[in-house]
Amino acid sequence: MNVKIYPVIAAAIFLTSSCSEAFLEREPSNGVDVTAALQTPADLADAVNGLYATVKSSSFLGRDVLVLNDLLADNDFISTNNYGRFLAENAYTFSQSSGSASGIWSQGYYVILQANRILYADLPPDDATNHLKGEAYAIRGLAYLVLVNFFGAPHTVSSSAPGVPIVTQPVFVTGTSSVPARNTVAEVYQQIIADLDEAFKLIPDRGIDAAYHNTSSNYLTRYAVKALLSRAHLYSGNYAGARDAAQEVIEKGGYTLTKSESDYLAYWASNTPSTNKVETIWELNMSVTSNNGGNGIDHMYNQAGYGDLLANKEVYELYSDTDSRKKLVVDGTRRGGSQKAYICNKYTNTASGDRDEVKIIRLAEVYLTLAEALAQTNDEPGALKYLNLIAQLRDPEFAGFTSSGRQLIDDIVNERRKELVFEGFRLFDLLRLNREIVRPVQPYSTTTYPLVSLSDHRRIQAIPQTELDVNPNIVQNPGY
């Protein structure tokens, strides 16, 4: 591929070593004028389906983003019986040359590159085109939310700190030699909110024509976008914005929670997308014909797969015996030995051709976002209402929280941990709340790092060396 490209996405174009020769002989997708490739809504739909495929890469939301959010925090660890993945991350010895962070950077910008091409397609606006472009706006906003939280300071800590470069135009518009500098964290969040707001405006209530793609939980809908917006506002510390967006999803989205333990466990055992709007708002498809195979998040946790990741004992002890969620952390035996282990049971279909869908947004998250936003905006009765709705639904024997002040915030954050464990939230929660990360040493763990203080530079990932090598305008994070 004899093509100049953005340094900021250089690694993204060469992400995989498994490209066929036929693929390599084609003109690179990022070098094609979008007007020559996307001429009809059907073309646009194909491009959007491809965009979803980039999101579910194991280097992005299909594994690494979710794994690092739990591993770098206090939810799980790499077993000594492992296949060599994430050892540096478990030990906090990662650097600007570390593979997982470099992969997130490269794949994140590859997602953004593909979204930009879709958004520049010159098609007459109609419901289908608007919907498809709305999905691209939402995915671009989510990609920036992931990137700025890994590579920039938390907005709640230093909004003026360097974030990540904002790239909103395809190469055929800007030219081939752009070397963008890092925008501030605040500017990146402004872009995220603008993208999600535009997506919400463009996606109609009624859903998309089935000729383009179905309306299952595998695709973004209008209120899935609003749910993402509630997350973005929460992460930025805009609690009023988080409150309003979460409230709108709950009141207008039509989503419901499971009502019994059996239904809740059956929900997690399922490996198929849903159309009933129960629990899931948006999840990534991992079908028989399109999944991450041995590179999926399921293989990292399931002892029938690689089973490298085990839960911390402290996670198992968070739950009472009457809490349905305790059955999703199994008191069992680790792979390849007789040693006691606590095992994630949210990804149960590793041995099936049709793998587990990867949950990205669930209704329970939105309820807990609303609870936290209400607590932070001095509506403690409202916060307790939504906090207890989740806590007592999952554990009918629990009498409910009655806390206030800092203790109420702590209870909400702890409930988020219990509800969203192994789904990729914990690190970002601890960072945005500016809390130390206490990682208790576990039996049968590889080399670990027990305390990440507030001054530790490794709370933020390094800008990858591959980026520094080609972009003179990129500044490295302190400490690397």
Side-chain angles (χ1 to χ4, degrees), residues 1 10 56 65 68-69 94 117 124 137 151 161 199 204 254 256 287 301 308 326 382 407 416 461:
M1 294 184 181
K56 73 178 187 180
V65 170
L68 290 186
N69 250 288
F94 45 80
R117 294 184 62 242
Y137 271 115
F151 298 99
T256 60
S287 67
Y301 280 112
D308 292 11
K326 192 166 191 175
Q407 185 58 53
R416 280 178 65 89
Q461 294 294 305

Side-chain angles (χ1 to χ4, degrees), residues 91-240:
Y92 263 70
T93 58
F94 45 80
S95 68
Q96 61 266 33
S97 300
S98 295
S100 57
S102 296
I104 290 170
W105 177 278
S106 298
Q107 189 67 27
Y109 275 105
Y110 187 63
V111 170
I112 290 165
L113 168 69
Q114 301 309 319
N116 289 345
R117 294 184 62 242
I118 291 165
L119 294 173
Y120 264 75
D122 187 17
L123 293 175
D126 58 25
D127 278 358
T129 298
N130 287 346
H131 191 136
L132 292 163
K133 286 194 173 186
E135 289 172 273
Y137 271 115
I139 289 172
R140 187 173 76 179
L142 176 58
Y144 275 120
L145 186 63
V146 169
L147 290 169
V148 76
N149 275 278
F150 270 120
F151 298 99
H155 190 287
T156 50
V157 176
S158 180
S159 62
S160 61
V164 296
I166 297 174
V167 182
T168 59
Q169 295 177 317
V171 173
F172 77 84
V173 173
T174 63
T176 58
S177 58
S178 177
V179 282
R182 297 173 69 178
N183 292 85
T184 67
V185 169
E187 289 169 339
V188 178
Y189 267 92
Q190 288 167 9
Q191 183 65 50
I192 293 164
I193 301 304
D195 280 352
L196 295 175
D197 280 341
E198 186 64 19
F200 186 76
K201 284 188 234 174
L202 288 174
I203 297 176
D205 278 331
R206 66 174 180 80
I208 198 167
D209 191 317
Y212 301 113
H213 58 237
N214 65 51
T215 54
S216 74
S217 52
N218 290 153
Y219 292 96
L220 284 158
T221 62
R222 196 163 196 247
Y223 286 100
V225 172
K226 188 65 76 170
L228 279 176
L229 189 62
S230 72
R231 182 189 296 177
H233 282 312
L234 183 73
Y235 284 7
S236 73
N238 178 3
Y239 298 115

Side-chain angles (χ1 to χ4, degrees), residues 98-414:
S98 295
S100 57
S102 296
I104 290 170
W105 177 278
S106 298
Q107 189 67 27
Y109 275 105
Y110 187 63
V111 170
I112 290 165
L113 168 69
Q114 301 309 319
N116 289 345
R117 294 184 62 242
I118 291 165
L119 294 173
Y120 264 75
D122 187 17
L123 293 175
D126 58 25
D127 278 358
T129 298
N130 287 346
H131 191 136
L132 292 163
K133 286 194 173 186
E135 289 172 273
Y137 271 115
I139 289 172
R140 187 173 76 179
L142 176 58
Y144 275 120
L145 186 63
V146 169
L147 290 169
V148 76
N149 275 278
F150 270 120
F151 298 99
H155 190 287
T156 50
V157 176
S158 180
S159 62
S160 61
V164 296
I166 297 174
V167 182
T168 59
Q169 295 177 317
V171 173
F172 77 84
V173 173
T174 63
T176 58
S177 58
S178 177
V179 282
R182 297 173 69 178
N183 292 85
T184 67
V185 169
E187 289 169 339
V188 178
Y189 267 92
Q190 288 167 9
Q191 183 65 50
I192 293 164
I193 301 304
D195 280 352
L196 295 175
D197 280 341
E198 186 64 19
F200 186 76
K201 284 188 234 174
L202 288 174
I203 297 176
D205 278 331
R206 66 174 180 80
I208 198 167
D209 191 317
Y212 301 113
H213 58 237
N214 65 51
T215 54
S216 74
S217 52
N218 290 153
Y219 292 96
L220 284 158
T221 62
R222 196 163 196 247
Y223 286 100
V225 172
K226 188 65 76 170
L228 279 176
L229 189 62
S230 72
R231 182 189 296 177
H233 282 312
L234 183 73
Y235 284 7
S236 73
N238 178 3
Y239 298 115
R243 175 198 64 206
D244 295 345
Q247 191 81 57
E248 193 168 350
V249 173
I250 291 166
E251 292 178 354
K252 298 180 181 178
Y255 301 99
T256 60
L257 297 161
T258 52
K259 303 302 182 187
S260 67
E261 178 178 288
S262 60
D263 286 347
Y264 182 66
L265 297 178
Y267 160 78
W268 277 106
S270 174
N271 59 348
T272 58
S274 66
T275 57
N276 59 11
K277 290 191 168 186
V278 175
E279 292 281 350
T280 296
I281 297 178
W282 177 40
E283 59 192 352
L284 301 178
N285 177 260
M286 296 292 171
S287 67
V288 173
T289 57
S290 179
N291 62 66
N292 287 329
N295 290 323
I297 191 172
D298 55 336
H299 261 257
M300 286 300 300
Y301 280 112
N302 196 306
Q303 299 303 293
Y306 297 125
D308 292 11
L309 280 167
L310 298 175
N312 287 343
K313 180 182 179 182
E314 290 75 12
V315 169
Y316 182 77
E317 292 175 343
L318 290 172
Y319 306 98
S320 71
D321 289 341
T322 54
D323 193 320
S324 302
R325 296 169 297 191
K326 192 166 191 175
K327 293 181 174 61
L328 298 175
V329 188
V330 175
D331 182 355
T333 304
R334 69 173 181 154
R335 175 186 54 78
S338 59
Q339 295 92 350
K340 184 181 185 66
Y342 300 100
I343 301 162
C344 164
N345 199 33
K346 285 187 172 180
Y347 305 97
T348 60
N349 293 289
T350 302
S352 169
D354 190 354
R355 304 295 179 82
D356 294 283
E357 309 295 87
V358 177
K359 275 63 172 168
I360 304 299
I361 315 167
R362 293 196 293 116
L363 183 59
E365 177 200 341
V366 178
Y367 272 107
L368 293 170
T369 293
L370 180 55
E372 185 176 344
L374 288 168
Q376 296 280 12
T377 54
N378 300 314
D379 183 355
E380 292 189 345
L384 287 167
K385 171 186 172 182
Y386 290 105
L387 171 61
N388 285 325
L389 187 150
I390 295 297
Q392 292 179 294
L393 180 63
R394 304 307 191 209
D395 183 1
E397 298 299 313
F398 178 53
F401 294 101
T402 59
S403 48
S404 62
R406 170 62 186 255
Q407 185 58 53
L408 175 56
I409 300 296
D410 288 349
D411 289 338
I412 295 168
V413 172
N414 193 52

